[in-house]
Amino acid sequence: MTSSHLIDIPAAGTQDGTLYVGFELSKSTWLIGLVVSGESRLSQHKVSGGDTAAVWQLISKRRAQAEKKQGRPVRVVSCYEAGYDGFWLDRWLGQQSITNRVLDSSSIEMPRRARQAKTDRLDLERLMRVLIRYEGGEPEVCSVVRPPSPSRRTPVECRANGTG
């Protein structure tokens, strides 16, 4: 599934040359958002949970399009909320030369006055706004979690990799 939505905060600057990638993770499916700096259209894609080949294909294709359009290299910055999946995704993204931010979900500002709808699509849009603002020089917009070293994996990561 692919869809595009306008987000209300344009990506940080037009000279930046950055592809922003957000992950809304669940056990069975992942919703992935992609937006290039200077654009306001967020494309959203669903992939099977843990399907790194599909993730890499999406990122590579969008990065190549952005590099062709801008005529220069485009860096990739991604984020997801810390949770059940642990930090294996952060390590995998790092191996692909992608700068990743694992965000503390309790630090992301939510509207408090009225009840807010809660869907993966809305959560992804909120996550993308936070990433763009954080990378644009607003570090107070969220807290970034520092992943433990690979030797200190979580029990969930050990079970997922068959090592514990």
Side-chain angles (χ1 to χ4, degrees), residues 2 5 16 23 25-26 31 35 47 55 64 67 71 78 85 88-89 93-94 116 118 140 145 153 163:
T2 302
H5 298 282
D16 191 23
F23 293 89
L25 306 174
S26 70
L31 185 60
V35 67
V47 299
V55 169
E67 287 177 342
S78 67
D85 281 298
W88 73 267
L89 180 57
L93 291 165
Q116 187 74 8
K118 178 129 173 65
E140 69 282 351
V145 176
R153 291 183 297 187
T163 58

Side-chain angles (χ1 to χ4, degrees), residues 97-162:
S97 301
I98 296 173
T99 302
N100 186 58
R101 310 284 184 222
V102 180
L103 306 180
D104 178 0
S105 58
S106 65
S107 72
I108 298 173
E109 188 176 303
M110 299 287 287
R112 302 247 187 253
R113 290 193 172 202
R115 290 192 142 208
Q116 187 74 8
K118 178 129 173 65
T119 66
D120 286 348
R121 181 184 63 81
L122 293 174
D123 286 349
L124 180 62
E125 288 174 7
R126 186 173 291 116
L127 199 60
M128 292 298 289
R129 283 187 206 98
V130 167
L131 176 63
I132 291 166
R133 287 177 60 196
Y134 183 86
E135 290 296 318
E138 295 183 52
E140 69 282 351
V141 76
C142 66
S143 295
V144 176
V145 176
R146 189 170 144 212
S149 69
S151 64
R152 297 188 46 89
R153 291 183 297 187
T154 66
V156 170
E157 289 178 305
C158 291
R159 283 193 297 275
N161 294 330

Side-chain angles (χ1 to χ4, degrees), residues 13-35:
T14 54
Q15 309 91 320
D16 191 23
T18 301
L19 171 61
Y20 298 96
V21 181
F23 293 89
E24 181 61 36
L25 306 174
S26 70
K27 290 182 185 179
S28 60
T29 59
W30 290 358
L31 185 60
I32 301 168
L34 301 123
V35 67

Side-chain angles (χ1 to χ4, degrees), residues 1-15:
M1 178 185 128
T2 302
S3 64
S4 293
H5 298 282
L6 289 176
I7 56 176
D8 62 1
I9 298 176
T14 54
Q15 309 91 320

